[in-house]
Amino acid sequence: ITEIYMPSITVTGTKLEYTVDGLSPYVNYTVECTSSNGEDYCDSNIDTIRMPSDEPSGPPLNLRAEPSPDSAILRWDPPAEKDQNGVITGYLIKYQLSSDPSSQMTRTVGAV
């Protein structure tokens, strides 16, 4: 999990909420709020949030298939850490005859 610095935002008037857009999935952010009466700012209230996970933005890496007479062992590495967007809980495996795309089979590895 990555922590990212957020720039300061000034909210004027009597608003009591603000939406921060464009945050990255599965990243910790520290948020801070302080008040002002126009003269100066008081102490801050600080909270840390973790954004929810999202679907991976990149594929598994280094797929390797080792054939035997009647099966194949598939091995791979997880997506790059920056592309995981959360904890990877499983993988979807698809395979088919190269000469017959309609023969596609699907298997799930882990809890997808």
Side-chain angles (χ1 to χ4, degrees):
I1 297 174
T2 306
E3 294 198 20
I4 295 181
Y5 168 77
M6 292 173 49
S8 296
I9 300 161
T10 301
V11 178
T12 59
T14 58
K15 289 177 72 173
L16 296 176
E17 69 177 53
Y18 181 83
T19 301
V20 180
D21 296 315
L23 301 180
S24 298
Y26 207 66
V27 171
N28 288 345
Y29 290 91
T30 299
V31 294
E32 183 175 351
C33 184
T34 187
S35 57
S36 172
N37 62 7
E39 297 294 322
D40 205 357
Y41 289 94
C42 67
D43 291 338
S44 300
N45 191 351
I46 298 172
D47 195 9
T48 299
I49 59 171
R50 177 188 293 174
M51 298 304 294
S53 60
D54 196 3
E55 66 185 45
S57 54
L61 301 175
N62 304 316
L63 176 62
R64 303 165 305 279
E66 297 175 18
S68 68
D70 62 354
S71 65
I73 297 174
L74 305 179
R75 291 188 174 92
W76 58 88
D77 296 322
E81 187 173 336
K82 69 178 181 58
D83 293 332
Q84 291 183 17
N85 299 329
V87 176
I88 302 296
T89 60
Y91 297 89
L92 185 65
I93 306 297
K94 296 181 181 182
Y95 58 96
Q96 68 188 35
L97 293 172
S98 296
S99 60
D100 183 7
S102 67
S103 68
Q104 186 176 71
M105 302 291 288
T106 303
R107 298 289 183 263
T108 303
V109 178
V112 176

